[in-house]
Amino acid sequence: MPIKSYVAFPQKGKKNQLIKVLERSNYCEVVPSSNKEVLILVTDTQNDRQENELLLALENIEEIEHLNLVSGFNEEVSREKEKATNNDK
Amino acid sequence: MRKCQEKKKKQQIMINRRDFIKKSAAASAMAAAITMIPGILFASDQENSTLTGDINWTKGPCRFCGVGCGILVGTQNGKAVAVKGDPNSAVNKGLLCVKGYHQIMCTSSADRLTKPLVKKNGKYVETSMEEALDLVASKMKETIDKHGKDSVAMYTSGQSTIPEGYVASKFMKGAIGTNNLDCNARLCMASAVAGFLTTFGADEPMGCYEDIEHANVFVLWGNNMAEMHPVLFSRMLDNRLNRKNVRIIDLATRTTRTSKAADKSILFKPQGDLAIANSICYELINNGWVDNSFVEKHVAFNKGKTNIGYGLEDNFKFNDEATPINYEEYKTFLADYRPDKIEEISGVSAKDIKYLASIYGDPNLKVVSYWCMGMNQHTRGTWVNNLVYNIHLLTGKISQPGNGPFSLTGQPSACGTAREVGTFTHKLPKGVVTNKKHRELAAKIWKVPYDRIPDKPTYHATEMFRAVDRGDIKFIWTQVTNPLVSLPKTSRFRPAMEKESCFVVVSDVFPTPTSDVADVILPAAWHVEKSGMYGNSERRTQYWDQMVEAPGEALPDAWITIEIARRMGFGDLFPYSKENHHEEIYNEYRQFHVGKKHNMAPLDILKKESGTIWPYIEETGKSTLWRFNSKYDPACDQAKDFDFYGNPDGKAVIWQRPYEPAPEMPDSEYPFWLNTGRVIEHWHTGSMTRRIPVLHQAVPNAYVELHPTDAKRLGISNKEKLKIISRRGTTILPASINERGMPTIGQVFVPFFDESMLINDVTLDSFCPISKEPDYKKCAVRIEKV
């Protein structure tokens, strides 16, 4: 059940179209910047199937130049990642 | 029916919690965007949206840098679950950086230290806290009995709370009677301290962050504020957006996110800042831009020793001597720094020097100079601090709203603990060990015989670890710090700490390369698991209450020190209670600063407010925002407009300090400068931020930045593994070309947060002979493909 947030960079001049596309998409909430060609995307999926479906949908949105993942909240996943982090050391 | 209601309630809590997490995620992304894209705004209703849920919010300062942002920590069911910016904090007004938002996530790391560990037959064995404390105390006592009190040492931190630093100082200097106490703030702030003391006779900036709302021009001297002090940088950008005539000038040796956001970026050669500052002063005088009345009334002129060395030899000793000079002699000295004469050594055009001088010299512009590690980690760190003060003193642009020099700090209590409490070898909670009156005051408050406090400093950080290597120090205890990642030339100090000649005790929250060599590891409570106070860059003291319990047997460092002191027979000097020791210690400490010049706010005030700036004026209940200006500072002689009361004559000192080259310069064998530093996602040695999944994933490892021209010439592509080699050691890192930052041609840059790619095995342990702060910004290396 991950909740993730991204800084999303639209293709040049496509910010408004991107907002519309994302607002229509499942699992997405959008916080646009009021002065820059950037927006915040918060996603909320309930399971792996939904998450994979969402990632595929995001990959196919032409108005996105790139997405920067900022945070991901999922208690079980976080613990696994933490373990992986510590094993790296 | 009842079951149905309970189910509904449970679902409601789940929804609230999920909504809360979503808002938290959005806030994190906004904070990241703010630091990535200067000047970006989001609709205020979204930025201000409050997180909901059955969360209890408690105020405190952020755990990370010296900006001292106010945070609100959300706790639920005995756990810290969220952090948001404190809208009531004058420092950050509700904003945090990406580290700040995620800080509490490290506390639940799976490898958290929760039990004392004692090394037995080469393996760590869990033990009880009682047993571990008994062992540490007996080892320390035994070492003193056998080898004398100067054979034991403590190395603490600018992250220690005020009570933690205070009891460490009282324990080492007042109880044991050795000055073998130093701290990691030596590695970041000591040059600023020495600069302030030599120029003003009093440490710490005279201004405050409110200067940002008044200044027209910000000159950043080797200071990547967009990454290192992002919240202050955002405040600066906000002012540029909303006020007319606000400019940012980035003066640096590398192009960074700060350079990109600045109105003007000026790149200079390493060590060239000494020549640039003198050249600006030449121009100020040559163009008649000096505030003659200010200089006449408030300034004296001195020169110090020259060719002062670089501290590379063990047991290096240096004492500066001040010789008074007059204004004419100073002017003659500056003749060598005519802008066209310094183009070669500084790498800056005469045109740009004149531009900088015209900014400082314009009486209609208010100017703040900011700096941090670029000027402090410098073999002439004290000098370059003095030289920037010279500019402000010549123009009288000091101690006024929007005008002043301001050294920023890197740790949350480098000022409050390291500098004010005085956890340096030469310091006492008030003054220095060499001053009889200061020793007498400490002895009186500590209730110890006056002659127990030695009158000479012993080991500063670098020399302390050299002494471990030589076998002179036989017991060392580190608290809240990770020297085997942060010291220069760790290639010498790691094997030194592994020697059997020294018993090593490490108190920490997480395992680190330093705890890896410890004989005893003591688990420490993290920030919100104890109560305490920090002091930030602008002289602001901030209090917080314990918010959650520390896990396992972890204890606050102050209490660990008290327990050890008691076991060593000093119980009468440490009569504090476990529940309330932080308050009892603070009240004792306040006695050192009674008086108008450094009065600390009472605890009940600190508990209510998001910090106060000393000197705190009890009559009015106000902070002193600008020191040395009688309009704002009641400690001044009110008959004068300015009073630099740190010096007996009330005058600040303009120092004649020349350009001198760095100790190691690129040559045919080692043709690149190496510069080291930080990234926004990680804090210092990464022991906390690398345990925060979001931050770790954002920048999972260190890298070496090269200029694209050098990369092309050497046929190096992005991510290609490179060996960085110096005369001290090597490390292997992936190349980074045209990514976050760009060094100048002939220079490479490496962040130091990554313990698996130890760049400090490569750096040089040279230091400023006055401040003893190492220079991590300049040494010579070569690059080889792996």
Side-chain angles (χ1 to χ4, degrees), chain B residues 107-154:
Chain B
T107 57
S108 54
S109 171
D111 65 346
R112 178 78 197 262
L113 293 168
T114 58
K115 293 234 176 211
L117 299 167
V118 176
K119 199 185 264 180
K120 288 179 183 167
N121 302 320
K123 284 189 177 172
Y124 286 109
V125 178
E126 277 187 8
T127 183
S128 70
M129 185 58 96
E130 289 296 309
E131 199 183 318
L133 294 172
D134 285 345
L135 176 64
V136 172
S138 66
K139 277 284 176 190
M140 200 170 189
K141 196 165 183 307
E142 186 187 303
T143 309
I144 293 168
D145 291 345
K146 211 168 165 185
H147 303 284
K149 55 192 182 179
D150 285 339
S151 64
V152 300
M154 238 181 135

Side-chain angles (χ1 to χ4, degrees), chain A residues 1 3 5 7 9 29 31-36 38 40 44-45 68 70-71 73 75 81-82 85 88-89, chain B residues 17-18 21-22 25-26 28-29 36-42 46 102 108-111 690-691 694 696-697:
Chain A
M1 297 166 32
I3 293 171
S5 64
V7 180
F9 293 84
E29 285 176 29
V31 182
S33 162
S34 45
N35 66 339
K36 301 273 180 184
V38 171
I40 301 302
D44 178 3
T45 55
N68 276 7
V70 175
S71 65
F73 292 86
E75 287 186 357
K81 281 177 184 167
E82 214 164 66
T85 305
D88 285 349
K89 289 174 185 162
Chain B
R17 179 164 172 77
R18 209 151 175 84
I21 292 171
K22 275 159 80 172
S28 303
M36 285 158 71
I37 306 147
I40 193 169
L41 294 172
F42 293 93
Q46 285 156 345
H102 293 99
S108 54
S109 171
D111 65 346
R690 292 190 83 221
R691 288 177 168 85
V694 176
H696 176 61
Q697 284 156 28

Side-chain angles (χ1 to χ4, degrees), chain B residues 35 56 84 86 97 103 154 302 349 403 425 487 510 515 531 554 594 603 642 645 673 688 731 744 753:
Chain B
T35 52
N56 182 37
K84 61 182 178 180
D86 181 356
C97 77
Q103 58 191 285
M154 238 181 135
N302 277 350
S349 68
N403 270 327
T425 179
L487 284 170
F510 305 108
S515 69
S531 302
V594 167
L603 259 175
F642 293 90
Y645 49 72
W673 285 107
M688 288 180 281
T731 192
T744 48
F753 70 85

Side-chain angles (χ1 to χ4, degrees), chain B residues 186 194 198 308 318 320 382-383 386 657 768-772:
Chain B
R186 179 74 71 181
T198 47
I308 60 178
F318 174 80
D320 202 14
T382 307
W383 288 11
N386 292 147
R657 306 289 202 190
C768 167
I770 302 172
S771 71
K772 325 292 192 242

